[in-house]
Amino acid sequence: MAQTIERMNSPEARKPEVTTRTVPAGSSAAVVDERVLARRAREAKKAKMTAVNEADRVSTDIGSPLVAPDGTLRMVPNLGRTVTVVGMVTNVDVNDGPHPKNIRGELGKAMNHWYTKTVAKDPLMRATDNSHAADKRNFLTTFTNAASKGIVNEQKPKVVDPAALSRHIKKVAKHLGADLVGIGAANPAFMYASGSRYVQDGEANDKYQSMSPDALAKRFPFVIQTTVAWDHDTLQAHRHHIGDMSYHHTSMKNAMVMKALEGYIKEMGYTAIRGAVNPQGAGLAAGLGELGRNGMMITERFGARVHMPDPILTDMPLVADGPIDLGVEDFCKICRKCASNCPTNSISFGPKVVYNGIQKYKINWLTCYKIRPYVADHYGSCLTCVAVCPFTKPDAWWRRVGGKLLKTTPIKARPPVVRALKWIDDTFWGEFPSRRVKFMGYDTGLKVGEHNCTDPQCTANHKEPKKLIEGSAGFYAPVKKQTDAFVKRG
Amino acid sequence: MARRSGGLPRLREDLSRLRGAFQAPLRRFSTQNDPYWDDFINRPPNDIRNMIPEIIGKAPEGNVFPTQAELHSPDVTAKHVKELSTYLGAKLVGIADLGKQKAEIARGYPYAIVSGVRAEYDPYTSPGVGGQAAVQAGQFVTFIVASWIREMGFRASMKIDVPREEREHLAVAAGLGKLDGDGRLTAPRYGTKVHIADIIFTDLPMQADG
């Protein structure tokens, strides 16, 4: 035991892990150099790549081949400018995620009890939060996730036109309630390790479950990702039950829309499987947005206020969209607003890092996650990094003008544009935004823990006396500069 | 309700509908030139388990929370119910006083929450996945509102099978619109393109609409 601790504390153990790539004998290329990275960035900019084209290309055409753990060569996925695959990617087991670890008790007793044994005090949270419901039958996603799977229709459409099918599937997703939809080329680099599937309450139970990521990507060449945007106005009450509502109800809607779309693809005669692909990888490949410093997908219309649900992997003949360039790469390099607002300092101020062969901004998920049991009475999900992100704005004309300006500026000329947009954002929306939001009797103007009614029309005899608070600043549980405002307010 | 940003929501909605008329007709991809759209709307499903309305329709109802939440006055509670329903996607919400209805319609409950969602296609005549999309959208609203009321400690049920005529009768009683010559509901802003979602029967004290 003592030896183990000694080894953990030794200077060698503290060194960051260096990703090493194993290349089979006979392979000529071994190093991914700067020119290759630049070339990939140029390709991402074109954003016209289809899966068919990607499959046709020789692997050496985009640099050295990446090698899977079993020695087979892998195609390098094109994920845009914000995320670059630079080394060997070991597929992640879905059971190594934060929630499964917590359920197994690996993150400590406090975390485990909070997640598995706590019932939320608030009725709205009990009806919309998966892990804190009093009765799971009052939580919609219980049924959409655990429903038995329908069979694939044997009757396929008579005329198969991939371009028309792609347009059709996008229109269908929007008709069923999605706000954004994209189709990406499936790649084993962003799939879960073989045999592991992401299923919240049901079971994967299909014959493809034992297939390796490489075999799955070959068998199912397309991945469909959709999303429903969170309501902007209620999201402004981040670190509050109102903000939770913004997040929770859309994740429920997302699960329902994806389930309906999965059912429809099966009705059309094609296979659709879920739980095999990393949602953010699929979103990047499908061109829904780019990955920001806060580790969230940043989209063109809604900014970071989107949730990436479990995508659909399908063999339906489609035409894939490529990744897009919104200027997130240039913005996040300068902005750092999410990092300075993060209550747990989980977001890095520094440059991108290479982790598991992928170059990206990496957040400290453990500190981000571990705050939750301590604030469970006040909020469920923090969402501060989403709410303060300059890209997260109402889908209005002035927001589209700013986005278009950044997008159309040549990359080298972007830094001054970013500084100007950041100045506008700080001036009009605040450097540490805290707004007073009222929703369904909830009020962020109340001090956390006080359950007074602030509705002037209400004549009910509440237990505690009414204390109406004037002003437009909200009270958000605990942290940083915002707490100053509350002291002044008394 | 939270302050809406980016202009008046209803005005924006109307303008976005108008915008379609000004787009170049040749380039536009619409349901008219989609070869698969008719099947999406009208073809009955091969396997009913692929349908969301079937999944949610068969889901059992949860328990009523043992402790009742502290309530506001009935008019404010009614406002909150409407606010939540609109937030979740309902276009029309009203509360019918079942005390004024016959006993077989009331089914032992004092109030009914009637919500309507926009329906491009009539779900009663379009059995496809797309035709049933309005039912799905309605269930999303009513399931969460009913669950929330149960979690507040009051009875609420959306699982009672109410025939179409009775739904529309209750919708009129809740002040959502009027019945036209064919006996169908006509709402002020949406005409007949409204689907009345599952009725929530509840004993949550609220102020009913007329």
Side-chain angles (χ1 to χ4, degrees), chain A residues 169 332 479:
Chain A
I169 283 297
C332 289
V479 273

Side-chain angles (χ1 to χ4, degrees), chain A residues 396-467:
Chain A
W397 66 268
W398 43 265
R399 188 222 180 283
R400 287 195 282 272
V401 167
K404 195 92 181 162
L405 175 69
L406 183 65
K407 203 175 145 188
T408 48
T409 311
I411 291 174
K412 282 189 179 170
R414 276 178 189 175
V417 178
V418 169
R419 286 198 178 85
L421 290 173
K422 172 90 171 37
W423 178 83
I424 292 171
D425 192 74
D426 285 348
T427 312
F428 290 95
W429 292 82
E431 216 171 322
F432 293 89
S434 94
R435 277 162 198 276
R436 183 168 180 180
V437 184
K438 292 181 184 178
F439 175 70
M440 282 181 65
Y442 297 88
D443 188 348
T444 62
L446 281 178
K447 208 170 177 183
V448 175
E450 286 181 5
H451 298 288
N452 296 333
C453 177
T454 57
D455 197 321
Q457 290 174 358
C458 184
T459 53
N461 185 21
H462 292 289
K463 284 172 195 163
E464 294 174 44
K466 276 187 184 181
K467 274 187 236 163

Side-chain angles (χ1 to χ4, degrees), chain B residues 13-201:
Chain B
E13 203 176 289
D14 290 347
L15 285 176
S16 69
R17 237 176 280 155
L18 272 177
R19 200 167 55 195
F22 298 104
Q23 282 178 352
L26 290 176
R27 286 289 183 91
R28 209 171 139 215
F29 176 76
S30 71
T31 54
Q32 304 295 323
N33 52 20
D34 185 346
Y36 311 104
W37 194 259
D38 187 50
D39 277 1
F40 173 57
I41 301 298
N42 292 319
R43 194 174 73 179
N46 178 50
D47 185 351
I48 199 77
R49 289 174 300 177
N50 285 329
M51 302 287 284
I52 286 285
E54 181 68 14
I55 294 169
I56 301 179
K58 283 194 175 164
E61 294 199 322
N63 292 331
V64 175
F65 198 70
T67 319
Q68 286 194 345
E70 191 185 333
L71 284 186
H72 300 274
S73 49
D75 54 334
V76 176
T77 309
K79 198 173 80 179
H80 291 167
V81 167
K82 289 175 191 172
E83 200 174 339
L84 180 62
S85 304
T86 331
Y87 183 76
L88 295 170
K91 295 291 177 193
L92 305 162
V93 201
I95 294 156
D97 186 357
L98 294 179
K100 294 175 185 168
Q101 305 291 335
K102 290 177 197 164
E104 60 264 30
I105 294 180
R107 294 171 174 91
Y109 287 91
Y111 299 104
I113 302 166
V114 190
S115 40
V117 290
R118 193 174 155 75
E120 285 292 326
Y121 305 94
D122 186 358
Y124 291 92
T125 56
S126 326
V129 176
Q132 296 295 307
V135 179
Q136 178 187 316
Q139 280 176 335
F140 181 73
V141 179
T142 51
F143 189 101
I144 297 176
V145 174
S147 302
W148 170 62
I149 295 173
R150 283 196 294 271
E151 288 294 350
M152 294 220 299
F154 295 88
R155 288 191 305 150
S157 178
M158 60 165 280
K159 285 288 148 55
I160 297 170
D161 191 26
V162 184
R164 185 176 195 181
E165 287 71 25
E166 212 174 299
R167 285 187 189 202
E168 296 187 347
H169 170 74
L170 282 173
V172 174
L176 298 196
K178 289 176 182 172
L179 296 183
D180 65 2
D182 301 333
R184 293 277 163 262
L185 179 82
T186 315
R189 287 182 53 77
Y190 302 96
T192 51
K193 289 195 170 182
V194 170
H195 167 66
I196 304 298
D198 300 328
I199 311 286
I200 303 172
F201 290 88

